[in-house]
Amino acid sequence: MNRAALLVFAVLACSPTDDTVTDTTNQRPLPHDPHSYAQPDTARVTHVTLDLTPDFTAKRLRGTARLAIARTGKADSVILDIRDLTIKRVTTPGGDSLGFSIGAPKEFLGAPLSVALPARDSSARTQTDTIVIEYETAPTAAAVQWLSPQQTAGKKLPFLFTQGQAILTRTWVPTQDSPGIRQTYDATIHVPAGMRAVMSAENVGTANETDSAGLSVYRFHLKQPVPPYLFALAVGDIAFRPIGTNTGVYAEPSVVEQAATEFSEVDAMVAAAEKLYGPYRWGRYDILVLPPSFPFGGMENPMLTFATPTVLAGDRSLVSLVAHELAHSWSGNLVTNATWDDFWINEGFTSYIEARIMEELRGRPYADMLRVLGRQDLEKAMADLDSADTRLHLDLAGRDPDEGFSDVAYEKGSTFLQTIESVVGRQRLDQWLRSYFDRNAFQPMTSEWLVEDLRRNLLTPGEAARVDLDAWINRPGIPANAVAVRSDALAAVDSEVTRWNGGAAASALQTAKWSTHEWLHFLRALPDTVPTARLAELDARFRLSSSGNAEILGQWLLLAIKNRYEPAFPALARFLTSQGRRKFLTPLYTEMMKTPWGATMARDIYRRARPTYHSVATGTIDRVVQWPGGR
Ligand code: BES
Ligand code: ZN
């Protein structure tokens, strides 16, 4: 496509419904996405209108997706991504059938759905078309988890939620599922009386609307164009509590008060982020606390972060997770990795910003604890991964993007920005970041364009050489110039570790002022081998096996497995069967698999727990415990 055509095309690609939130002046040709069948250069989806009804008995979403498509001269068809969808019919808005064909499905990618477009007006250079796809999802749809009432806090009604990142949206919406292809969306969701639907969009329905079947109707609209991995839906017994005027929490009724208290600082977080990086461009910022099987800590769905209930520690000690998901409103949702090869551009920037927001709220010593713990995560990832996967820019063609997700993207990415900060100073970095988000708002980003932008708008040639951009982005390992991080609070914990290792009693440790992060550091710093009696002493003194803090409990249970500390095993089984956050599951199952007795225990727990986990978690843990039939 020539530049002029590209420009017309880019203009067509902005929101068809209202105000122009898309900056189209800077649109670059998209790089090829190996995880999508779409050919956006000839025909691309610009808007999606969903009308869906969940059937909780059949575990299927049924309805229609109406897609607005912008196409260039040559295109007589559009190619979409689908996986495990039943396509019943494709028509024009007027109801005329359109021809379609589905290619051979490939593992994790799904299949291309090619739809013939109606004959075009030959005088138009580009043209917008609308197609309507009638379809239903499979009960096994990887994005969707259908929860029984037993898996909810209320135990009365079922629940469902979706998780789109990275390439799972195609299992519930037939569209071009690539992070470089932004789309606005509308949705109408029909749910049983007594249930509420929420989405990553503005709620535009009227209260108490019902349809002819007596179902409650919820309506949504997202005017900002987003990649489809940010489409999200949840349905259940969901209550709402406001926090500020533009913020609030959704959760099951028995959880919503605690959630509102835990997240009371969210307005201060938004204010801090806006002060640093410019206006929050998404309207409201709400948080949905999901049932415990939610496979992630958080997911940055626009206007509505999805969060695990394991973040509700009761003392606000884990709310940096909210700062993280909020930060994605700039890094990720405004400026988005063009393909999953550059996932680090989403997560590395976000982890850097997360610490900056927490620094604004709680001060430097607090943020430094986060940074030191993050650096420990990075060291661990470096030790665990194949060298090629320790690069920031990855080549994931032919692999499930899920395989590229590690702490490298988060913590090496964040360390990269911390190192740039050490070279140019905080003020210049902040100024650049702010302008970077403005200049690239609603645009895709690649490592290459980022380097270009850094060279043009931030770094002098001398500074660029000192940072060594190529080493950071394209080479494995941690570059030697990585800026050091230090936390006085955690250094004080190290002294207690030394005393403990020297034989000091648990009761003699100076732990009175320790917060969650000091405890995490302490538990991580203990030797791998600890005598049973000493573990028992720690457990008796600090009640670690019954900790209500999921991070502390997870760290303690890891130590318990390493030392076959059996008194903690009931708590281990309870933890693994009562929540499904992959970050907690993976290290515990992995550690158990290292010994024959542990492997037996792992498989016994997993047999019971597996039916309660989301596909994202079983996809990983099947491999860890070599589950028959697993990947
Ligand atoms: N976007 C991620 C979650 C994600 C990553 C989903 C990759 C699918 C594929 C989210 O922002 C995230 O990073 N969550 C973290 C929490 C955070 C505090 C590091 C998590 O879930 O642990
Ligand atoms: Zn993230």
Side-chain angles (χ1 to χ4, degrees):
M1 207 181 331
N2 64 36
R3 282 208 82 82
L6 245 179
L7 201 67
V8 174
F9 198 47
V11 170
L12 269 176
C14 67
S15 168
T17 44
D18 54 53
D19 44 27
T20 44
V21 288
T22 318
D23 172 14
T24 53
T25 54
N26 196 26
Q27 188 98 27
R28 310 174 187 93
L30 283 173
H32 173 70
D33 178 1
H35 297 108
S36 170
Y37 294 101
Q39 295 180 4
D41 288 349
T42 54
R44 58 174 280 182
V45 176
T46 60
H47 181 80
V48 178
T49 301
L50 299 171
D51 188 311
L52 293 173
T53 305
D55 177 339
F56 283 93
T57 311
K59 299 188 176 172
R60 291 180 193 274
L61 294 164
R62 291 198 189 90
T64 56
R66 172 191 290 253
L67 309 182
I69 291 150
R71 58 164 151 159
T72 51
K74 291 156 292 198
D76 55 5
S77 64
V78 60
I79 302 177
L80 311 173
D81 297 296
I82 62 170
R83 181 179 156 199
D84 299 332
L85 294 182
T86 304
I87 305 297
K88 297 178 182 167
R89 205 176 4 240
V90 186
T91 67
T92 65
D96 297 333
S97 284
L98 293 172
F100 69 90
S101 66
I102 299 172
K106 289 207 188 120
E107 207 196 349
F108 62 78
L109 287 182
L113 166 61
S114 174
V115 176
L117 294 172
R120 57 192 307 279
D121 171 356
S122 57
S123 62
R125 190 125 172 230
T126 64
Q127 173 169 335
T128 302
D129 293 291
T130 304
I131 63 173
V132 182
I133 303 170
E134 189 184 331
Y135 73 102
E136 69 181 24
T137 63
T140 52
V144 190
Q145 192 176 11
W146 298 86
L147 302 178
S148 68
Q150 263 320 301
Q151 290 175 270
T152 68
K155 317 275 180 219
K156 287 202 188 74
L157 291 169
F159 197 104
L160 85 81
F161 67 87
T162 65
Q163 164 58 43
Q165 198 180 9
I167 56 170
L168 303 181
T169 292
R170 63 193 68 180
T171 71
W172 74 284
V173 181
T175 190
Q176 294 179 322
D177 190 10
S178 172
I181 307 179
R182 304 184 89 90
Q183 299 149 42
T184 48
Y185 83 84
D186 289 300
T188 304
I189 310 290
H190 308 253
V191 306
M195 298 180 91
R196 186 205 289 260
V198 292
M199 293 191 84
S200 53
E202 189 182 345
N203 199 327
V204 294
T206 48
N208 304 319
E209 186 187 351
T210 53
D211 65 12
S212 55
L215 296 171
S216 302
V217 176
Y218 289 87
R219 295 179 189 276
F220 302 93
H221 175 61
L222 187 68
K223 67 182 176 202
Q224 297 87 344
V226 297
Y229 76 85
L230 295 174
F231 295 179
L233 167 69
V235 179
D237 183 6
I238 298 171
F240 177 74
R241 285 288 172 282
I243 297 176
T245 42
N246 282 309
T247 53
V249 279
Y250 291 95
E252 285 194 72
S254 67
V255 177
V256 77
E257 295 296 347
Q258 191 198 342
T261 306
E262 199 83 26
F263 302 145
S264 63
E265 292 153 292
V266 66
D267 287 275
M269 288 183 184
V270 176
E274 287 193 304
K275 182 184 121 193
L276 289 168
Y277 307 114
Y280 176 77
R281 305 192 191 213
W282 306 88
R284 295 190 55 86
Y285 180 73
D286 295 316
I287 302 164
L288 169 68
V289 179
L290 288 138
S293 68
F294 186 62
F296 293 105
M299 177 64 213
E300 65 271 26
N301 297 132
M303 305 186 71
L304 183 64
T305 282
F306 281 25
T308 169
T310 62
V311 72
L312 304 175
D315 59 2
R316 303 186 176 113
S317 66
L318 301 178
V319 298
S320 60
L321 184 138
V322 173
H324 178 99
E325 304 313 335
L326 172 66
H328 275 304
S329 305
W330 287 262
S331 47
N333 299 2
L334 260 195
V335 184
T336 311
N337 50 216
T339 72
W340 299 112
D341 286 350
D342 285 319
F343 176 61
W344 80 272
I345 294 179
N346 279 14
E347 298 301 341
F349 277 62
T350 297
S351 298
Y352 173 83
I353 294 173
E354 169 193 343
R356 292 294 306 275
I357 293 173
M358 292 314 291
E359 184 169 332
E360 292 290 321
L361 262 74
R362 305 240 174 122
R364 180 95 196 207
Y366 189 90
D368 282 340
M369 288 200 288
L370 298 179
R371 293 183 182 110
V372 169
L373 290 167
R375 199 65 68 89
Q376 291 168 6
D377 292 334
L378 177 58
E379 303 282 353
K380 171 129 188 20
M382 288 294 159
D384 291 352
L385 291 169
D386 290 345
S387 164
D389 287 339
T390 69
R391 297 171 303 164
L392 286 178
H393 175 74
L394 297 173
D395 177 8
L396 294 170
R399 294 169 78 188
D400 187 333
D402 208 45
E403 282 182 42
F405 296 164
S406 75
D407 280 330
V408 170
Y410 292 78
E411 300 301 341
K412 185 177 175 181
S414 161
T415 302
F416 172 52
L417 288 177
Q418 290 168 37
T419 301
I420 294 180
E421 181 188 317
S422 74
V423 170
V424 303
R426 190 167 264 196
Q427 203 195 344
R428 276 175 60 205
L429 176 62
D430 284 355
Q431 218 168 40
W432 173 78
L433 272 171
R434 192 185 164 134
S435 74
Y436 164 85
F437 291 130
D438 285 342
R439 277 181 283 111
N440 298 290
F442 300 104
Q443 304 285 342
M445 185 53 59
T446 67
S447 288
E448 222 178 291
W449 298 336
L450 176 69
V451 166
E452 226 176 85
D453 196 305
L454 281 167
R455 288 185 187 282
R456 176 169 314 152
N457 298 310
L458 178 62
L459 304 171
T460 65
E463 288 164 345
R466 263 167 73 201
V467 172
D468 197 350
L469 298 167
D470 183 57
W472 277 97
I473 292 170
N474 296 312
R475 286 192 240 135
I478 310 174
N481 66 353
V483 66
V485 283
R486 182 193 151 80
S487 152
D488 291 339
L490 297 186
V493 173
D494 285 329
S495 313
E496 296 307 290
V497 173
T498 304
R499 293 181 54 225
W500 161 258
N501 288 339
S507 57
L509 296 176
Q510 309 279 304
T511 62
K513 295 200 184 105
W514 284 5
S515 68
T516 294
H517 300 97
E518 277 119 339
W519 274 109
L520 289 175
H521 183 66
F522 176 76
L523 292 169
R524 288 177 177 195
L526 292 179
D528 281 345
T529 310
V530 182
T532 304
R534 297 235 71 198
L535 289 174
E537 189 195 339
L538 278 181
D539 203 6
R541 170 97 185 147
F542 302 114
R543 306 251 155 254
L544 294 165
S545 294
S546 49
S547 173
N549 185 302
E551 295 278 353
I552 292 175
L553 182 61
Q555 202 67 54
W556 164 248
L557 292 172
L558 193 63
L559 192 63
I561 299 167
K562 285 182 183 164
N563 290 283
R564 198 169 182 172
Y565 177 66
E566 295 187 355
F569 289 176
L572 173 64
R574 228 177 298 123
F575 189 54
L576 293 174
T577 51
S578 62
Q579 57 79 37
R581 183 174 171 188
R582 182 169 67 173
K583 174 187 146 181
F584 293 141
L585 308 182
T586 307
L588 295 172
Y589 281 109
T590 303
E591 195 58 40
M592 282 190 274
M593 290 307 290
K594 290 181 180 169
T595 61
W597 62 265
T600 304
M601 182 163 74
R603 294 206 182 93
D604 178 55
I605 296 173
Y606 191 50
R607 187 175 35 74
R608 287 180 283 139
R610 191 176 185 277
T612 71
Y613 293 164
H614 186 278
S615 77
V616 158
T618 58
T620 300
I621 308 301
D622 278 356
R623 257 177 288 140
V624 171
V625 307
Q626 294 151 36
W627 197 248
R631 283 192 283 169

